[in-house]
Amino acid sequence: MRLPRRALLASMASTMTTPTRALVVDSHLHVWSSTSKFAPGKEPPANLGDSVASAEAFAAACKESGVDRALIVQPINYLFDHTYVAGVLTDNKDKYRGMALADPSQPAKAAAEALRAACATAPNLWTGVRFNPYLWPESARGGAWLADDVGTSLADVCAELKLPIGVMAFGGFSPLVPSIEALCARGDVDVVIDHWGFPRAEPGGAPSSALKFDDAAFAELCALGRKHKNLHLKLSAHFRVSSQEAPHSDLQPRFDAAVDAFGADRLMWGSDFPFVQLNGGQKASLEAVRGFSRNLPK
């Protein structure tokens, strides 16, 4: 089977091309600014202030890296106040789209209504919804989890509005497999897994040269990719799953396995800006995935 290299490098831009090349889309990043109030206890660290993490800083990074379009994921710093990102989307309709953050701490009906309200802050510019598993009440973390009554209500809204669900498995991929399987089995909504699935032997650990890759968890992810054609994978935040600095050569065999399991058209590159700026930079992240794909048919 011939796998289109261009589809991978263009990330989510398969329908947006120029006469000379496919557009390059950063499918995973966050922006924030102290001009908008952070949620209590969610203030960013000093080394990720406005000069590094603002929309203006991101635009400058894109210019340097040759990135044309982007999908901005609502940052945890604002929790469910989507005002800042909605403003960035509205001011850059030609370049950016957003992924809203679901609030699963409420009853099912209220959670669904809150999600609709979040998406209304920038009509037609929110094109996905993030399910952060660790915002679910601790008592709900296990079993059905993302596909419990609240998750099902949120997923119903996503299906109605045709918004893919993004899943962050920061605490480990394997515990989420049953609920991801349930979301995929619905068949009416696409599911996108962040950051290579976070296949790390030490879930939640900081980037480190001692980081160990969880091959068993990655095998589970690839098995789901083969089974469910509505499951997609972000090859994003390489520094979070690699034990090496850019170009993260240890991820090459995992990239090859992901292509085999998902096909290039269900893979997308993402930088994880602004965190990547402290770990090699957006441009190095993009060059790494270009290197991984060098042997794919064009």
Side-chain angles (χ1 to χ4, degrees):
M1 179 176 64
R2 290 183 61 84
L3 298 170
R5 183 182 182 193
R6 174 170 293 187
L8 175 66
L9 298 182
S11 298
M12 300 174 74
S14 59
T15 62
M16 298 186 294
T17 58
T18 68
T20 56
R21 65 174 177 86
L23 297 180
V24 176
V25 179
D26 188 338
S27 73
H28 193 103
L29 70 305
H30 313 278
V31 292
W32 57 76
S33 170
S34 59
T35 59
S36 290
K37 186 177 180 180
F38 299 119
K42 299 298 183 181
E43 298 82 3
N47 60 352
L48 288 173
D50 293 4
S51 64
V52 179
S54 67
E56 293 78 11
F58 177 67
C62 287
K63 184 176 181 179
E64 178 185 352
S65 302
V67 171
D68 304 294
R69 303 286 188 270
L71 180 70
I72 303 174
V73 180
Q74 169 73 3
I76 197 68
N77 311 78
Y78 297 125
L79 281 178
F80 313 109
D81 181 353
H82 290 71
T83 305
Y84 177 72
V85 175
V88 174
L89 298 178
T90 301
D91 290 343
N92 297 274
K93 293 180 180 180
D94 59 330
K95 295 188 295 185
Y96 301 158
R97 294 295 182 268
M99 177 168 276
L101 180 61
D103 180 2
S105 66
Q106 308 180 68
K109 183 177 180 180
E113 292 174 350
L115 178 56
R116 291 182 186 279
C119 292
T121 60
N124 303 315
L125 298 179
W126 295 104
T127 56
V129 176
R130 183 176 231 194
F131 280 24
N132 180 336
Y134 317 105
L135 295 176
W136 260 254
E138 286 194 26
S139 60
R141 299 177 193 176
W145 203 337
L146 304 180
D148 65 3
D149 289 346
V150 174
T152 296
S153 182
L154 291 167
D156 288 344
V157 174
C158 293
E160 177 189 338
L161 301 180
K162 295 180 170 48
L163 303 177
I165 294 170
V167 177
M168 180 186 73
F170 188 79
F173 183 76
S174 295
L176 293 168
V177 168
S179 57
I180 292 171
E181 179 101 55
L183 290 173
C184 288
R186 291 173 55 109
D188 60 354
V189 64
D190 285 342
V191 179
V192 184
I193 307 299
D194 295 344
H195 305 341
W196 301 76
F198 273 113
R200 306 180 300 187
E202 305 86 16
S208 166
S209 61
L211 199 64
K212 296 180 180 178
F213 197 89
D214 188 342
D215 287 298
F218 194 65
E220 288 184 284
L221 172 60
C222 289
L224 287 179
R226 292 187 181 92
K227 181 177 181 180
H228 297 287
K229 302 306 180 186
N230 59 336
L231 185 66
H232 307 254
L233 177 63
K234 288 183 180 180
L235 304 178
S236 51
H238 314 320
F239 62 92
R240 295 191 184 275
V241 294
S242 171
S243 61
Q244 300 177 7
E245 294 183 354
H248 309 292
S249 300
D250 58 331
L251 295 182
Q252 180 68 61
R254 282 83 187 214
F255 172 86
D256 296 340
V259 171
D260 182 69
F262 288 84
D265 287 341
R266 286 190 286 134
L267 301 175
M268 60 197 82
W269 165 73
S271 68
D272 201 22
F273 179 96
F275 303 101
V276 72
Q277 300 303 87
L278 307 181
N279 294 275
Q282 182 194 49
K283 186 174 183 179
S285 174
L286 177 58
E287 289 304 316
V289 83
R290 280 177 168 150
F292 300 152
S293 64
R294 62 188 177 277
N295 294 324
L296 291 182
K298 294 183 179 180

